[in-house]
Amino acid sequence: MLLADALSEALGLPGSGTAHSPERRDKQRLAERLRACGLRAVPSFEVTTPEAAVAAAHESGPWPVVVKPLDSSGSDGLHFCHSEAAVRAAAQALLGRINFAGSLNRSVLVQRRIVGQQYFLLAVSRDGRHYVSEIWLDHRQSVSGAGVVCDLAVLLPADGDVQHELARYARACLDAVGIRLGPSSLEIIVTADGPVLIDL
């Protein structure tokens, strides 16, 4: 994605540019950018050692906390940790490892676990206008040794209060990170306070 952004900009081709490429790739920068734009984001800490991860876990809020790579995707390296020992072990397992995106994990994220209903949204953008094409309600189950896994996804109708709230928030997130052209996939959890972007 970073290369595609750079090439399209250098060649004068349509694209989303490089101004916000880092935020589109790095989950910590993404959260910071969302907050700077007045949008809800996951409270998170970027750390480079297991001991720093433990300290961040105490600062991030109640247990469990989430430990995961900074710039990977899907459930790669995702750990739900209920103790200091689990946080330390998760950080040790991730740091120095190549993730699914082909990047070396020089740091990891420690995040507050967001509680609520999870959704996946698919969108396509053209000239900075965003069209949400699908909204899926995502049911997940905890599985020992595997974190959480999706056991049911339900495609929702286009209309509905939740769908409209999700679409508005998704468009604002896409604007915040400068998406102007192409497809996107957003993972959003709706909490008691409203939607929060988990991944883009």
Side-chain angles (χ1 to χ4, degrees):
M1 178 176 63
L2 298 177
L3 178 60
D5 289 343
L7 285 173
S8 63
E9 186 172 270
L11 296 172
L13 299 173
S16 297
T18 59
H20 294 293
S21 288
E23 290 94 335
R24 297 194 286 265
R25 186 79 178 124
D26 180 313
K27 293 179 177 64
Q28 179 68 4
R29 290 188 180 190
L30 171 63
E32 292 167 358
R33 176 67 182 163
L34 293 181
R35 282 191 288 272
C37 292
L39 298 168
R40 293 181 196 91
V42 181
S44 58
F45 300 86
E46 181 181 353
V47 298
T48 57
T49 68
E51 290 311 314
V54 170
H58 285 291
E59 196 171 341
S60 69
W63 300 94
V65 298
V66 176
V67 179
K68 64 184 182 181
L70 194 68
D71 65 349
S72 192
S73 59
S75 59
D76 174 39
L78 179 66
H79 296 267
F80 293 98
C81 302
H82 296 262
S83 67
E84 286 187 5
V87 169
R88 191 176 289 106
Q92 287 173 338
L94 292 173
L95 287 166
R97 183 178 71 85
I98 301 294
N99 61 40
F100 283 177
S103 300
L104 178 67
N105 293 328
R106 292 186 171 87
S107 59
V108 295
L109 281 185
V110 178
Q111 296 182 323
R112 178 182 301 168
R113 183 171 185 185
I114 302 300
V115 178
Q117 177 60 57
Q118 184 160 294
Y119 299 85
F120 285 99
L121 284 74
L122 300 180
V124 63
S125 304
R126 179 170 176 153
D127 297 327
R129 297 185 64 187
H130 315 296
Y131 304 90
V132 175
S133 59
E134 299 175 39
I135 300 177
W136 293 82
L137 186 148
D138 181 40
H139 283 283
R140 298 210 160 201
Q141 296 289 335
S142 295
V143 175
S144 180
V148 292
V149 297
C150 177
D151 70 342
L152 176 66
V154 179
L155 180 62
L156 298 181
D159 288 323
D161 291 343
V162 171
Q163 294 94 310
H164 293 159
E165 181 182 30
L166 284 164
R168 280 193 301 271
Y169 175 75
R171 290 186 189 104
C173 291
L174 295 171
D175 282 340
V177 296
I179 297 290
R180 295 195 50 77
L181 180 70
S184 54
S185 173
L186 303 95
E187 180 182 340
I188 298 172
I189 292 179
V190 175
T191 71
D193 296 322
V196 179
L197 182 68
I198 303 301
D199 203 0
L200 167 64

